[in-house]
Amino acid sequence: MCGASTVTVATGSGPYNEQVKVDSIRKSNLNDLLVINGNGETLTATPTASNFVVFDISRIDDFKVKKLTVQGLSNTYGIGFAIRNRANKITIDSCTVNLAAVTSITSANSSGIAFTSSLTSAAIGADNGDSCTISNNSIVGGAAGGPYWGISMYGALNATLDYNVVSNNSVNDFYTNGIYG
């Protein structure tokens, strides 16, 4: 990547049905920001036992996702956004995470936004993300179910999650905790 870049999803082009992974993008300047503007479009996926995540953000710095709806279709597993493996300076802003299909009450199976090092658990601590901003998002479940946690943040004894900001989010119809860390 040669300079700051914005990818804008075309209005009316979705929904998209796939799991997305953003991982280790090479940049000419380490501080160049990559932005994905979802433009209100929807990304759906049916997570499986080998990968619970709809949108995986791993080993990248200076990355922003905004105005994207992410929907998990599995009744057992679902992590809307995963921030993993030293993904730092990540922003998730003005997005909707819909995990209403999840009816499992197993704690590690689901979270709207998870700081975790695993694709198969919302609760594995490591150096998962520092200086991240999670703001203006709506995380929703449904009358019959929803995520175990709305937002979950797992670090480790020698790898804390520092300088993260979680603000102005709406978290509804979760099983146990709206925000857990």
Side-chain angles (χ1 to χ4, degrees):
M1 193 171 98
C2 297
S5 299
T6 298
V7 176
T8 301
V9 178
T11 302
S13 62
Y16 299 92
N17 188 24
E18 58 194 300
Q19 291 173 293
V20 171
K21 182 174 187 172
V22 178
D23 189 349
S24 303
I25 294 175
R26 299 186 82 174
K27 300 178 186 180
S28 60
N29 180 338
L30 293 178
N31 294 317
D32 285 341
L33 179 65
L34 173 59
V35 177
I36 295 180
N37 179 354
N39 219 3
E41 292 300 318
T42 299
L43 172 67
T44 66
T46 304
T48 65
S50 63
N51 186 349
F52 298 2
V53 181
V54 178
F55 197 115
D56 181 23
I57 303 165
S58 178
R59 296 182 300 203
I60 184 172
D61 293 344
D62 301 292
F63 178 72
K64 180 177 184 174
V65 180
K66 65 181 186 177
K67 299 179 183 176
L68 180 67
T69 296
V70 172
Q71 183 174 12
L73 302 176
S74 170
N75 64 354
T76 306
Y77 311 106
I79 298 173
F81 289 97
I83 298 173
R84 306 182 317 113
N85 301 327
R86 296 184 176 164
N88 300 314
K89 296 187 268 180
I90 306 302
T91 299
I92 300 174
D93 182 58
S94 302
C95 292
T96 298
V97 178
N98 182 339
L99 294 178
V102 175
T103 57
S104 171
I105 57 171
T106 302
S107 64
N109 281 6
S110 60
S111 179
I113 299 171
F115 287 69
T116 180
S117 64
S118 175
L119 292 173
T120 58
S121 173
I124 302 295
D127 187 1
N128 293 318
D130 293 330
S131 303
C132 298
T133 302
I134 309 301
S135 60
N136 307 308
N137 300 294
S138 177
I139 299 167
V140 297
Y148 194 84
W149 297 298
I151 299 170
S152 57
M153 303 176 80
Y154 275 83
L157 286 176
N158 61 350
T160 59
L161 304 177
D162 295 323
Y163 311 108
N164 292 309
V165 175
V166 177
S167 67
N168 201 36
N169 297 285
S170 171
V171 183
N172 297 296
D173 298 321
F174 50 86
Y175 181 72
T176 188
N177 295 96
I179 301 173
Y180 183 80

